[in-house]
Amino acid sequence: MEKSTLTKEQRREKREIKRQKQRENNVLRAFKMHKLRLASNIPSPIRPPAPEGTTYHIGCSGWFYWHWRNAFYPEGLATKDWFAHYAQTFGTVEINASFYSWPTETTVMSWIKQAGLKKFVYTVKVCELITHTKKFEGTEELVKDFGHIATILGDRMGCFLYQVPPSYHYSPAKLKAIVSQLQTGQRNVVEFRHGSWWNEKVYTALKEANLIFCSCSAPRLPDELIKTAEDIYIRFHGKKAWYRHDYTQDELKEWAKRIQQAKAKTVWIYFNNDFGGDAVKNAKALARMLKSKL
């Protein structure tokens, strides 16, 4: 096959056309999910009481990466078998594709099917239609509609991750918009990408609403663990470069110490430093430090 002769600008334009098509489809898919939610007689799931001690859910942010071939997935393993291979090691995954493309009912059902009889939990990143396009303005129904995914997944549902853009700086009005819409009774996590959100007013508001502040290991963001609920949630993106960092034993030990000192009921940890398969290696290492099964 001949190499593409497209220029860098043409490739960028092609990607943007594809992204715009995804954004348009997200509106249509959200409307279908809205109708599905209204027609459903199944009540929204209620979080069960947390068990005694601390429960750990440790995995990766996504599992389908071509550069994991030969790094995590054995050479010759068909891509249709990649999830099964991933699930042999981990009991949870953070779905990132749902951010770009609002999942259909068929897609969510396929998650259930691929997990089979294995005890497996999905955390789902919320579609950008809510967090980036509309930025929580007039999204009350959309939040409920996306939340219907939890109804479909049942006991395979972990958290909903709401990631807001770096351009979304703190203000009392924005904080109120987030808090007022996310008190749905589900495990809702908010990941901020601007340092202005690391302040006591945000922590207090999230605590009162039982919402989970996403602690981050990421470039130019505060490197600390914030606890605003019984659950804590941590994403490992990389120290100096996004998605490209192999965490040292000392760096992981520091996080293990913070996690143990937090004494949370449930701990959700996802590694997003997918480059070179470091996410898999680092997740395993941190699990050993926390004496947790994967």
Side-chain angles (χ1 to χ4, degrees), residues 10 22 54 64 79 96 148 179 187 199 209 228 251:
Q10 288 173 327
Q22 282 181 316
T54 300
F64 196 99
T79 54
N96 272 324
H148 188 64
V179 170
R187 287 190 183 91
N199 71 69
T228 60
E251 288 168 346

Side-chain angles (χ1 to χ4, degrees), residues 13 30 41 60 63 97 123 138 168 170 173-174 221 260-261 281 283:
E13 182 181 0
N41 293 319
C60 300
W63 55 270
T123 277
Y168 197 75
Y170 166 78
K174 290 174 183 174
L221 290 177
Q260 290 166 335
Q261 290 177 341
K281 179 175 63 175

Side-chain angles (χ1 to χ4, degrees), residues 192 194-200 203 213-214 216 221-222 224 226:
F192 300 106
H194 189 269
S196 60
W197 291 93
W198 274 255
N199 71 69
E200 289 299 329
Y203 307 155
F213 186 103
C214 179
C216 295
L221 290 177
E224 55 186 296
I226 305 298

